[in-house]
Amino acid sequence: MKIEVWSDYVCPFCYIGKRTLEQALVRSGYESQAEITFKAYELDAQAPVDSDRLAYEHLAEKMGQSLERAKEMTAQVAQQAKAFDLHYDVENMPHANTFSAHRLVKWAETQDGEQQLTELLMHHYFEKAHNISNTEVLLSIVEKAGLDRERAAEVLGSDQFQGEVERDIQEAGQIGVQGVPFFVVNRKYAISGAQPLEAFIEALEQIGEEEGMRPALKPIGKAKTSFCTGDSCEGE
């Protein structure tokens, strides 16, 4: 089951959607058969890389709302995130440009570090309110992901992986992505938005059935008992 996820690291529903996907794969039995790839999407390509504004301040201006209303809207999303044990720092999340972060993830994909870096970028932005436009912040996160800081600095100091990011964004327009998160399964099925967990599970089960896939068996009974392998037999 190949799953492509268009998302942005400053999209509050994208972190919720990521957790929903992970839990739905476990619950549906398809976790071991899933190959997940993250695709780049920019919610605000014009966001400055050195902004000192907060995310809810930008939201207020963009939506023509008061600061109080924008903060309230952000807090409502943060409340939904708590169901997945995610704790958003809505008071301090900065208005950030994510193009460099997307380039780094494309590089990390060549190092088998895409999944870890994606998770850490979202964690540091939403739960620690770190500005992921900032080069030093990005390099610190790269190190936490177990990746090469010096090589990452070379990527950031160049235009490497810019084309890959731009192709993802262009492809999103071609397939009709109008908002994120957006999930594409086996290049045939689309799931739009951070769906409720049960709805996501149902969608994966339907896709699995239509694709002729068998979910992993769910073990019942004791966790450890007597059994034989090709090499030996063991018992409690």
Side-chain angles (χ1 to χ4, degrees):
M1 185 179 287
K2 182 177 181 180
I3 303 175
E4 296 165 291
V5 185
W6 271 265
S7 64
D8 198 5
Y9 307 113
V10 295
C11 163
F13 285 114
C14 288
Y15 205 5
I16 294 172
K18 182 177 183 294
R19 282 290 185 274
T20 305
L21 171 62
E22 291 164 353
Q23 293 188 19
L25 284 169
V26 172
R27 292 268 300 275
S28 64
Y30 291 113
E31 180 185 24
S32 63
Q33 301 178 64
E35 175 190 341
I36 302 173
T37 302
F38 290 95
K39 297 284 192 173
Y41 191 93
E42 284 188 287
L43 286 176
D44 185 5
Q46 304 306 315
V49 298
D50 56 356
S51 175
D52 58 0
R53 301 183 71 192
L54 296 173
Y56 73 82
E57 292 175 333
H58 172 69
L59 179 63
E61 180 181 39
K62 182 179 179 180
M63 303 295 292
Q65 302 278 2
S66 66
L67 287 175
E68 291 73 18
R69 176 54 183 154
K71 191 181 294 188
E72 179 183 325
M73 292 168 63
T74 307
Q76 289 172 352
V77 181
Q79 189 62 37
Q80 295 181 44
K82 287 182 180 179
F84 295 90
D85 198 28
L86 300 174
H87 303 279
Y88 290 1
D89 185 356
V90 297
E91 295 284 341
N92 299 300
M93 290 188 305
H95 181 214
N97 185 293
T98 58
F99 193 78
S100 290
H102 282 297
R103 288 200 298 122
L104 276 181
V105 170
K106 289 300 180 186
W107 162 71
E109 188 176 353
T110 69
Q111 311 296 308
D112 294 324
E114 173 197 23
Q115 305 293 329
Q116 179 73 349
L117 186 56
T118 295
E119 173 64 28
L120 286 174
L121 283 166
M122 290 184 169
H123 168 67
H124 277 267
Y125 179 75
F126 289 110
E127 300 193 280
K128 293 184 177 295
H130 290 170
N131 190 337
I132 58 174
S133 298
N134 182 274
T135 296
E136 285 304 312
V137 169
L138 287 172
L139 293 178
S140 175
I141 295 173
V142 161
E143 284 188 301
K144 287 184 174 67
L147 298 167
D148 189 312
R149 179 188 177 101
E150 290 186 8
R151 180 68 185 94
E154 292 176 5
V155 172
L156 290 177
S158 69
D159 62 358
Q160 294 178 66
F161 299 97
Q162 178 176 323
E164 288 86 339
V165 173
E166 291 174 344
R167 279 194 290 275
D168 280 358
I169 295 171
Q170 181 181 31
E171 185 179 9
Q174 293 171 344
I175 65 176
V177 178
Q178 296 181 344
V180 288
F182 192 87
F183 308 85
V184 176
V185 183
N186 290 351
R187 285 277 156 168
K188 293 170 61 177
Y189 310 90
I191 303 173
S192 180
Q195 299 281 339
L197 179 56
E198 293 301 328
F200 218 121
I201 293 169
E202 183 179 344
L204 291 179
E205 289 175 339
Q206 180 180 343
I207 292 170
E209 183 177 348
E210 292 184 10
E211 294 290 285
M213 300 175 63
R214 296 178 64 87
L217 297 176
K218 298 178 181 179
I220 60 174
K222 294 182 178 180
K224 182 180 180 181
T225 186
S226 303
F227 62 93
C228 292
T229 67
D231 299 318
S232 64
C233 293
E234 299 180 12
E236 292 185 331

